[in-house]
Amino acid sequence: QQSGYDSSADIWSLGITILELAHGHAPFAKHSPLKVLLMTLQEPPPTLKDEGGKHFSRSLRELVACCLTKDPTKRPSAAKLLEHKFLKDHAKKKDYIA
């Protein structure tokens, strides 16, 4: 039986949003919504890859990988993500983090 919605879904969404911003499209965007759902369930999670002349830092790739951990019980909490190296290095001003 599946558990209900909790904040781990928001963490997954953050990872997908980072991918969309980095690549200009959602993972599996060329596929139908049903195919995307099946791929999300059956395939390994998408990753942030250097492509199209874009290079992403190791810490950003690790942040995305943390967010896109398949098992929701193993995804970090929002509080734990705030301790991640990428956010510590790039969100130095408190104004960036609500």
Side-chain angles (χ1 to χ4, degrees):
Q1 183 172 355
Q2 295 231 333
S3 61
Y5 172 88
D6 67 13
S7 61
S8 67
D10 294 329
I11 301 302
W12 179 272
S13 294
L14 174 62
I16 295 297
T17 301
I18 293 169
L19 289 177
E20 288 182 43
L21 290 169
H23 294 302
H25 57 83
F28 316 126
K30 62 184 175 188
H31 301 287
S32 72
L34 182 57
K35 176 83 172 167
V36 171
L37 179 62
L38 290 172
M39 291 174 75
T40 300
L41 294 172
Q42 296 172 349
E43 301 290 328
T47 59
L48 183 59
K49 296 177 184 156
D50 295 344
E51 62 181 43
K54 297 177 187 172
H55 174 73
F56 303 103
S57 68
R58 174 195 275 179
S59 64
L60 181 57
R61 290 192 313 267
E62 289 171 354
L63 176 67
V64 169
C66 286
C67 292
L68 298 182
T69 300
K70 283 275 194 153
D71 183 346
T73 65
K74 294 183 179 173
R75 275 181 222 141
S77 66
K80 187 73 175 167
L81 277 182
L82 288 174
E83 298 171 12
H84 192 277
K85 179 178 176 16
F86 181 81
L87 295 177
K88 287 232 180 225
D89 289 351
H90 297 286
K92 296 179 191 281
K93 290 184 178 179
K94 297 287 183 195
D95 297 348
Y96 290 143
I97 301 175

